Amino acid sequence: MDGILSYIIDALYSLPGILVGLSFHEWGHAYAAYKRGDPTARNLGRMTVNPLAHIDPLGFLSLLILGFGWAKPVPVNPNYFKKPKQGMALTALAGPVSNFLLALLTLLAARIFCDVAAYSEANQRILDFLLMVALLSIGLGL
């Protein structure tokens, strides 16, 4: 019973990191498509970091329970792109790149936080959150 409870606590603890990582990943796709001329995701309210716009219930549960999963794919219409193949490639690449950038920023924030914050239980939780976001973002990027 202790193992199950520990697993549930760990899964709940990773929940904010999952939501942040998934949201930035999907926003990256939507933003890249928009910058190349496709307004589809923006018009459908998907160019946001609001996790509610991106969660696929089954993919989210799979990610939370099994460690791998997915979000709702951002709708993209390559007909808007001047160079459809290039536009699709850059749009596809933007999700993982946004995750790697998020990981880099959260690791940098964690490093700065370690240098300036005194140790306390609350500060340890903040540091753990930053590291969880970074780790999950790297996983989503891969």
Side-chain angles (χ1 to χ4, degrees):
M1 186 66 163
D2 245 2
I4 294 172
L5 183 59
S6 175
Y7 182 80
I8 291 171
I9 290 170
D10 287 346
L12 290 175
Y13 189 67
S14 69
L15 186 63
I18 291 170
L19 293 174
V20 170
L22 281 177
S23 298
F24 273 85
H25 183 97
E26 295 304 323
W27 172 83
H29 290 307
Y31 183 75
Y34 179 72
K35 291 305 278 184
R36 278 153 193 73
D38 180 7
T40 306
R42 190 183 119 239
N43 292 344
L44 295 172
R46 298 289 308 280
M47 198 168 81
T48 179
V49 291
N50 179 353
L52 296 178
H54 303 296
I55 291 176
D56 176 283
L58 185 58
F60 180 73
L61 284 174
S62 176
L63 186 59
L64 193 60
I65 295 169
L66 303 174
F68 66 91
W70 57 91
K72 281 189 224 172
V74 168
V76 176
N77 184 346
N79 293 325
Y80 284 105
F81 299 145
K82 290 178 184 171
K83 298 179 180 177
K85 285 184 181 180
Q86 181 187 44
M88 286 303 291
L90 292 172
T91 298
L93 197 59
V97 168
S98 68
N99 281 120
F100 294 137
L101 288 173
L102 179 60
L104 183 65
L105 290 174
T106 55
L107 288 172
L108 181 62
R111 178 65 200 168
I112 292 168
F113 190 76
C114 284
D115 288 344
V116 299
Y119 179 80
S120 71
E121 185 68 30
N123 286 346
Q124 183 63 47
R125 290 181 192 271
I126 293 168
L127 182 60
D128 289 346
F129 170 74
L130 291 171
L131 294 175
M132 180 67 72
V133 170
L135 180 65
L136 290 167
S137 291
I138 291 168
L140 287 167
L142 293 174

